[in-house]
């Protein structure tokens, strides 16, 4: 505001000290108290126990896969972009966001907020050196993305099948190598 060419140098020289004096007086009188932010939620009590909720946020329909000593979680992101958060943990208590599966949803109309649409109940799996995320969009079909590293980069979303009502999708690889796709159906 003070750099505006409309204010003369004389006016700026009056306003700046007045503003500084007002702030100084407010600080001295206690009118401007520094507020302390609440502590960040910590479920790990540091003694081998924890308190619920383990994740104090909205991670609807979570799905977890274990690969070695690491756990990876994804959850519904509905119409939020970036979509499909990926979290990492070594103990199922302390979680860190390490990435997202996508930053663009390839369906028309998702450039504006919508309620209850988009990415529902994803699944994350690990098979033959690749991470897979599948999810159902009840209005558009089943999508999938893959990555060698769960932090990304992820492949672009691929429409596996165009369908209506298919949700809660997850892949299953049988011992003989045959792949299956399991899902529920939302009938409305």
């Amino acid at each position: 505001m003070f750099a505006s060419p409309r204010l003369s140098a004389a006016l700026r020289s009056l306003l700046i000290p007045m503003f500084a004096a007002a702030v100084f007086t407010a600080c001295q009188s206690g009118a401007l108290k520094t507020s302390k932010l609440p502590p960040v939620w910590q479920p790990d009590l540091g003694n081998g126990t924890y308190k619920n909720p383990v994740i104090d946020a909205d991670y609807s329909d979570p799905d977890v896969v274990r690969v070695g000593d690491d756990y990876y979680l994804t959850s519904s992101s509905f119409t939020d972009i970036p979509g499909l958060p990926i979290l990492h943990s070594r103990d199922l208590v302390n979680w860190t966001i390490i990435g997202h599966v996508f930053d663009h949803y390839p369906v028309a109309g998702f450039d504006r907020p919508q309620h209850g649409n988009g990415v529902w109940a994803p699944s994350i799996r690990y098979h033959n050196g690749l991470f897979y995320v599948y999810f159902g969009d009840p209005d558009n079909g089943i999508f999938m993305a893959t990555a060698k590293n769960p932090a990304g980069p992820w492949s672009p979303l691929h429409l596996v099948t165009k369908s209506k009502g298919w949700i809660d999708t997850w892949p299953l690889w049988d011992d003989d190598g045959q792949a299956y796709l399991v899902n529920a159906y939302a009938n409305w």
Side-chain angles (χ1 to χ4, degrees), residues 43-51 91 93-94:
D44 190 337
L45 299 177
N47 60 4
T49 64
Y50 64 93
K51 60 185 172 185
D91 58 12
V93 174
N94 298 290

Side-chain angles (χ1 to χ4, degrees), residues 83-171:
L84 292 171
I86 302 294
L87 287 76
H88 172 259
S89 176
R90 288 252 168 165
D91 58 12
L92 294 174
V93 174
N94 298 290
W95 290 94
T96 304
I97 299 172
I98 60 170
H100 290 83
V101 174
F102 65 90
D103 59 7
H104 170 74
Y105 196 51
V107 175
F110 279 87
D111 55 346
R112 62 187 178 282
Q114 300 180 28
H115 178 72
N117 293 333
V119 178
W120 285 30
S123 63
I124 184 167
R125 297 292 183 271
Y126 184 75
H127 180 70
N128 287 344
L130 274 181
F131 287 88
Y132 292 80
V133 169
Y134 281 82
F135 69 89
D137 174 330
D139 295 314
N140 294 290
I142 304 299
F143 290 85
M144 177 204 65
T146 62
K148 290 184 179 180
N149 181 338
W154 286 83
S155 66
L157 291 179
H158 169 71
L159 180 61
V160 176
T161 184
K162 184 147 182 63
S163 57
K164 295 277 187 189
W166 289 20
I167 59 171
D168 302 339
T169 305
W170 54 276

Side-chain angles (χ1 to χ4, degrees), residues 8-20:
S8 69
L11 185 55
R12 281 195 304 264
S13 67
L14 287 173
L15 289 176
I16 291 173
M18 288 172 55
F19 177 74

